[in-house]
Amino acid sequence: MRIPAFILWLAGAAPLAAAAATYGPAAPAPRDRPVVLNWLKQSDYPPESLAAREQGEVTAAFDVTETGAVENCRVIRSSGYLRLDDATCPLIEERARYRPASDATGRPIRSSDVRAFRWIAGEGRAELRATVTPPN
């Protein structure tokens, strides 16, 4: 029985595709997606901000190290309230952990990420609202 060339080509391409998926460049990603929501907790809401019903969205940019730790967090878009802005980065640097980005050989590399967080005063909680990952 003769095997069509197309099927042989597919069989030969499968290991290459698997290798590319395993060892190709990768963007950083939170280690455990559901945990992203725990980067900011209800108990983190600054009491003065909650009493004043301050709320808004803080967009933060930060570096992700080769080990997946977060460093150099900075607010790139303010919520409009200094207390909320000031509370965001220290919490992210303390709690966020990533699977680091990797180069074409699969080695971990430094990278960066940008995330937007919404502080909601009416409910006394903070949540991750959106994710935006810039190209590396």
Side-chain angles (χ1 to χ4, degrees), residues 22-25 102-108:
T22 304
Y23 298 109
S102 60
D103 64 14
T105 65
R107 285 184 297 208

Side-chain angles (χ1 to χ4, degrees), residues 64-76:
V64 178
T65 70
E66 297 88 340
T67 63
V70 169
E71 301 179 328
N72 304 318
C73 183
R74 61 231 170 254
V75 172
I76 60 172

Side-chain angles (χ1 to χ4, degrees), residues 36-76:
V36 170
L37 297 176
N38 291 329
W39 290 359
L40 299 178
K41 300 176 183 177
Q42 290 180 350
S43 59
D44 296 327
Y45 216 106
E48 303 85 5
S49 293
L50 192 55
R53 300 189 59 77
E54 295 173 349
Q55 60 184 13
E57 186 174 281
V58 178
T59 302
F62 45 85
D63 298 330
V64 178
T65 70
E66 297 88 340
T67 63
V70 169
E71 301 179 328
N72 304 318
C73 183
R74 61 231 170 254
V75 172
I76 60 172

Side-chain angles (χ1 to χ4, degrees), residues 30-40 115 117 128 131:
R31 284 192 181 159
D32 196 8
R33 291 274 180 199
V35 173
V36 170
L37 297 176
N38 291 329
W39 290 359
L40 299 178
R115 302 241 170 204
F117 300 88
L128 177 71
T131 301

